[in-house]
């Protein structure tokens, strides 16, 4: 009899302990313990890094405005005129393999104007002269025609409107104010303007239709004699044709 009672008591104890074990398991399932905060931070940081990586992998946009710094507002130049060998978004080269009079820096550069002689830009406050002079030295020894180029991300077989605002340099002849517009080194337009009877830039808008190939190159090529009298250029743009209609 005593043995039987002992077995009953032992069974009750085992059942009780088993019940406690199930309760603990259910408690963990219902309200799991918090992990170490450092682990949570690491997980969050890893997630943020993966988002950044995905963002970095996103290709350049092929819609909206595709030209960078089309109004030549960066970098900001001092009032008047400044010869720059780097302009945000643009690659600067000499138009001629052997410029008649190269810059003092011996590097291709473009003259960025801001308030020069009171002249106004077509947009913003800055624009460029395609027959440039390094005014840091003797201007007569620094005149060079320049070409401005920029890679443009596009969609294959999609038509775009390429727009450029130009003005003849005041009090200069038509032969001195010429700009060749190219798309992938193919001519799309030659602009010539007479500024002989003007006293300030008379900005004119020119538009051309071009077709995207995936990655294209826009070139603005200064033309004419190298004598520091050249076409003024501002507000260069490439937009999807559907958007510009």
């Amino acid at each position: 009899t005593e043995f039987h009672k002992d077995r009953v008591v032992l069974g009750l104890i085992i059942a009780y302990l088993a019940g406690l074990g199930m309760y603990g398991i259910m408690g963990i399932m219902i309200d799991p313990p918090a992990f170490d905060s450092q682990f949570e931070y690491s997980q969050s940081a890893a997630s943020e890094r993966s988002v950044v990586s995905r963002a970095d992998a996103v290709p350049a946009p092929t819609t909206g405005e595709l030209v960078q710094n089309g109004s030549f507002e960066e970098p900001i130049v001092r009032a008047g005129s400044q010869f720059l060998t780097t302009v945000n978004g643009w690659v600067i080269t000499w138009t001629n393999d052997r410029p008649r009079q190269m810059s003092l820096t011996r590097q291709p550069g473009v003259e960025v104007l801001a308030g020069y002689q009171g002249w106004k830009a077509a947009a913003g406050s800055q624009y460029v002269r395609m027959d440039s002079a390094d005014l840091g030295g003797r201007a007569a020894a620094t005149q060079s025609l320049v070409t401005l180029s920029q890679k443009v991300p596009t969609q294959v077989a999609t038509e775009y409107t390429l727009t450029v605002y130009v003005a003849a340099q005041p009090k200069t002849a038509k032969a001195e104010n010429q700009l060749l517009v190219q798309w992938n080194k193919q001519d799309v337009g030659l602009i010539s303007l007479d500024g002989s009877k003007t006293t300030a830039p008379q900005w004119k808008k020119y538009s051309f239709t071009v077709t995207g190939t995936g990655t294209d190159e826009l070139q603005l090529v200064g033309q004419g004699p190298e004598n520091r009298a050249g076409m003024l250029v501002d507000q260069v743009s490439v937009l999807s044709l559907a958007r510009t209609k």
Side-chain angles (χ1 to χ4, degrees), residues 100-102 133-135 137-143 226-228:
R100 178 170 172 266
Q101 296 166 322
M102 66 179 61
D134 184 351
L135 300 183
R138 293 181 299 110
T142 61
Q143 300 148 7
E226 293 187 315
N227 60 0
R228 201 196 160 201

Side-chain angles (χ1 to χ4, degrees), residues 124-190:
S125 59
Q126 299 184 174
Y127 54 98
V128 296
R129 174 161 38 200
M130 301 302 290
D131 191 349
S132 296
D134 184 351
L135 300 183
R138 293 181 299 110
T142 61
Q143 300 148 7
S144 308
L145 287 168
V146 296
T147 295
L148 300 178
S149 306
Q150 185 170 146
K151 296 289 186 182
V152 180
T154 61
Q155 294 179 342
V156 176
T158 299
E159 290 189 327
Y160 295 86
T161 299
L162 190 169
T163 302
V164 57
Y165 282 74
V166 298
Q169 181 169 326
K171 300 180 180 179
T172 60
K174 185 174 183 179
E176 297 174 300
N177 294 283
Q178 299 184 47
L179 180 73
L180 178 62
V181 181
Q182 295 183 325
W183 186 253
N184 295 323
K185 300 192 185 304
Q186 300 297 312
D187 298 354
V188 295
L190 175 62

Side-chain angles (χ1 to χ4, degrees), residues 19-36:
L20 288 177
M22 289 299 294
Y23 178 80
I25 292 173
M26 292 180 66
I28 292 173
M29 294 174 65
I30 295 170
D31 186 18
F35 291 100
D36 184 86

Side-chain angles (χ1 to χ4, degrees), residues 53-160:
S53 297
R54 286 196 296 271
D56 290 344
V58 174
T62 56
T63 59
E65 179 55 67
L66 302 181
V67 174
Q68 299 179 49
N69 195 26
S71 288
F72 307 100
E73 301 300 321
E74 299 175 354
I76 298 173
V77 306
R78 63 174 182 265
S81 172
Q82 190 169 350
F83 182 86
L84 299 176
T85 56
T86 58
V87 174
N88 297 15
W90 295 95
V91 175
I92 308 169
T93 57
W94 283 311
T95 294
N96 299 320
D97 292 337
R98 294 183 178 180
R100 178 170 172 266
Q101 296 166 322
M102 66 179 61
S103 73
L104 296 176
T105 62
R106 302 285 175 176
Q107 297 181 56
V110 66
E111 196 177 353
V112 181
L113 286 72
Y116 179 77
Q117 294 192 12
W119 298 347
K120 302 293 186 182
S125 59
Q126 299 184 174
Y127 54 98
V128 296
R129 174 161 38 200
M130 301 302 290
D131 191 349
S132 296
D134 184 351
L135 300 183
R138 293 181 299 110
T142 61
Q143 300 148 7
S144 308
L145 287 168
V146 296
T147 295
L148 300 178
S149 306
Q150 185 170 146
K151 296 289 186 182
V152 180
T154 61
Q155 294 179 342
V156 176
T158 299
E159 290 189 327
Y160 295 86

